[in-house]
Amino acid sequence: MIFKVVLIGCSADIVAQAEELNGFISENLGRGDHGCGTILFCSKKQDKNALLDLVPTESVKLVTVAGYRPETILEALKIVENMEETHLYLFPGGYAGSELAVRWAFRAKGSSLVQVNQIEYTENQLIAKKKVYSDYVMGVFRLKKKPYCIAPARGSASSLPVRVKQPLTVTEHDMTHLYRDRFVESYKWTPGEKTGNLEKAKFILIGGRGMNNAESAEKLKKIANSLGAAFGVSRPAAMNAWSTMDKIVGVSGAVTKPDVCIVAGASGAAAFYVGIEKSKFIVAINKDPRAPIIKSSDVAIIDDYKAVMDELVKLISAQK
Amino acid sequence: MNILVCFTVIPELEMMLGEDWFVDENLQIDVGFLKHSLNCYDESALEIALKFSDAARKRHVSPNLTALTIAGPEANPILKTLNALRFNRVVRINNHEDIRFNSMAIASMLHQYVSNRMPQDVLLMGWQSGVGENAKTPLLVAEMLGWPCITQVTEIEPVDSHHLVVTCQVDDGQLQQTIQIPCVLSIGNAPNSYMRIPTLKDRMQFGRRTAEVLDANDFEPFDEGIELVSLDVINRQRSAILIEGATPEEKAGKLYKSFLAKRLNKL
């Protein structure tokens, strides 16, 4: 089986992309019986040696493009790739990688699946597992058309830095002349705080719909800061503009893995729980004893989270 | 400017209790007893289209809004609401096939609707639905139409009858682009985009209009190349030790002493 890894080097999250895909390969494929390579997209200004340190395979096609535009990347892929010889393409798990996986599969007449948790390759098919039904159910799918284009679910594999530096075979391709997104007349990029802080935090405090308003959300955020915890919210809380979108925890936000996670006033719908299920210890505080988060926690308190948190702040501060 | 908003009506799965989750021999889960509501990202798409329409009228651009779903009669109450919200056209493609995990079939029907029946300039839809979680349909429609696609869109503003300003989230920040139409816009986490409620007057005046109903059998099928093998309900139960106490303060004290103090000290 021949598989290729696609990395978008011109994106600021390239290290996370490379480490997640390296972990995914290690847990799902290994490198033993497979032929593999990486297609690494970068821009002219970037430090290419630093990018090459992130490559998880022994060979790489280093493709220089004018900048990250999906149309440009897809066009360049078509030029540098012989899609008939590749069985599997692995794309990064973020928005960009998922988009490219689906569109590349369509153009290559293959099949795609995104937000994938696990894959297994057998002779003439790829079996892939992914969550469906708002993350309450694990679906197992058989992909029948090669090339199979997969983008893993974020957090589905451990982040694994590329530690062993192999001698790399590098082929360079200059695709800076491609510029297909002519429908864009102007654009302005603003760097975001993104979810990185939440995803790396050891201690997290999360508020849900039970916060009821923006003032309560702000107060809970201050409590999180005073305790040294990262602050997150469920999607409904962010949709009500009680907090910014970069604080969302769950399938459409951060996927966290803290040592301690306190969930205050969130019911624990599966799409939210996906964002905390790798926590070592979950505390749920909720007035509703039937809220799903109660059964999915290690320890639970059925009560108003505000009074409980006020007391916890006193206890934790006294120990500092 | 013709704008098509594609939406899905889904069962409220969070109301399912543990024992309700049962996968039968045909890989179906009975959700017929649940209330159905708008898929959350599609709800944002519909409200974004309405906001855009309000703003466009101030610039003397009058967008023509169509709302379309591929569903059975369970979508009818939502169609009435959309009529009352004054979508110019409300369409249901009547479908009885299992398309939960067949984005190609969905995208192909949308493509055929736009290409053969009702030309459009902009397509809006949520990036994924709560049942299939395929996260592919907007991208595949764009590919089939040969149009560009912008993903994780949070806001659109009118410029003139051929241009839009589109704000979207990207993996490393936020992008605001002025674009030419046509295009497909895939809606992500858009703040303040719960769909508005129609007035009683509009409900009486417009809500009774009939939705256009088409038959899915009149559209060419499209093979996804993916087959569902099994569905397994995920068990997320943990020990769920309940901390008892007379007051919240007492419960907090027990939580801290017995469970948190040592763990937090180690961090």
Side-chain angles (χ1 to χ4, degrees), chain B residues 36-67:
Chain B
H36 282 64
S37 58
L38 278 167
N39 178 46
C40 62
Y41 302 105
D42 297 333
E43 178 180 1
S44 294
L46 289 159
E47 178 58 25
I48 284 172
L50 289 167
K51 280 183 183 163
F52 177 84
S53 183
D54 295 341
R57 280 199 202 97
K58 289 178 188 164
R59 290 174 181 248
H60 309 292
V61 177
S62 292
N64 192 295
L65 297 186
T66 301

Side-chain angles (χ1 to χ4, degrees), chain B residues 60-258:
Chain B
H60 309 292
V61 177
S62 292
N64 192 295
L65 297 186
T66 301
L68 181 149
T69 188
I70 303 169
E74 70 277 3
N76 285 344
I78 303 285
L79 301 181
K80 281 185 181 171
T81 303
L82 296 174
N83 266 327
L85 288 170
R86 302 201 207 184
F87 275 79
N88 301 84
R89 184 183 287 260
V90 174
V91 183
R92 176 166 70 85
I93 300 180
N94 194 34
N95 173 64
H96 300 291
E97 296 296 315
D98 181 6
I99 53 171
R100 290 173 296 170
F101 308 109
N102 193 343
S103 296
M104 278 285 199
I106 299 165
S108 175
M109 277 190 254
L110 299 178
H111 167 228
Q112 291 172 59
Y113 180 79
V114 173
S115 299
N116 306 336
R117 293 172 187 254
M118 192 59 64
Q120 302 290 332
D121 301 302
V122 180
L123 262 63
L124 254 70
M125 64 192 90
W127 73 293
Q128 72 169 13
S129 87
V131 173
E133 296 195 64
N134 302 306
K136 290 162 64 171
T137 305
L139 302 164
L140 292 171
V141 181
E143 285 294 313
M144 290 173 184
L145 288 166
W147 291 5
C149 180
I150 300 179
T151 61
Q152 297 300 323
V153 171
T154 56
E155 197 178 350
I156 56 172
E157 298 164 54
V159 177
D160 56 37
S161 53
H162 300 288
H163 296 85
L164 313 173
V165 174
V166 179
T167 307
C168 66
Q169 283 180 288
V170 287
D171 288 313
D172 51 6
Q174 192 181 67
L175 207 56
Q176 192 175 59
Q177 308 175 81
T178 303
I179 61 155
Q180 274 181 19
I181 57 174
C183 63
V184 176
L185 303 176
S186 162
I187 307 297
N189 285 323
N192 286 320
S193 58
Y194 287 121
M195 198 170 76
R196 63 190 68 180
I197 296 166
T199 61
L200 186 58
K201 188 181 164 196
D202 283 349
R203 225 174 238 288
M204 300 299 285
Q205 193 173 348
F206 301 104
R208 289 175 184 167
R209 287 186 308 187
T210 48
E212 187 180 344
V213 180
L214 305 173
D215 192 335
N217 292 327
D218 293 337
F219 293 79
E220 291 292 318
F222 208 113
D223 180 26
E224 169 77 58
I226 293 177
E227 181 190 345
L228 177 64
V229 176
S230 67
L231 291 173
D232 298 299
V233 180
I234 299 170
N235 181 2
R236 293 196 163 96
Q237 285 207 356
R238 292 197 180 205
S239 49
I241 299 166
L242 217 53
I243 296 180
E244 307 282 359
T247 64
E249 290 76 16
E250 186 186 340
K251 292 173 190 172
K254 287 181 181 174
L255 168 66
Y256 181 69
K257 193 176 165 192
S258 304

Side-chain angles (χ1 to χ4, degrees), chain A residues 132-144:
Chain A
V132 295
Y133 277 89
S134 294
D135 293 359
Y136 286 99
V137 175
M138 184 65 82
V140 180
F141 297 89
R142 180 181 293 117
L143 280 73
K144 295 182 285 190

Side-chain angles (χ1 to χ4, degrees), chain B residues 16-46:
Chain B
M16 295 267 277
L17 300 174
E19 58 270 28
D20 294 331
W21 287 103
F22 175 74
V23 183
D24 69 20
E25 66 272 20
N26 298 316
L27 300 179
Q28 296 290 333
I29 296 171
D30 181 10
V31 290
F33 59 94
L34 293 174
K35 186 185 167 201
H36 282 64
S37 58
L38 278 167
N39 178 46
C40 62
Y41 302 105
D42 297 333
E43 178 180 1
S44 294
L46 289 159

Side-chain angles (χ1 to χ4, degrees), chain A residues 66-69 179 181 183-190, chain B residues 150 165-166 168 170 174-179:
Chain A
Y68 177 74
R69 315 294 289 166
Y179 189 77
D181 281 359
F183 77 107
V184 178
E185 299 205 340
S186 66
Y187 75 94
K188 183 182 154 196
W189 172 71
T190 315
Chain B
I150 300 179
V165 174
V166 179
C168 66
V170 287
Q174 192 181 67
L175 207 56
Q176 192 175 59
Q177 308 175 81
T178 303
I179 61 155

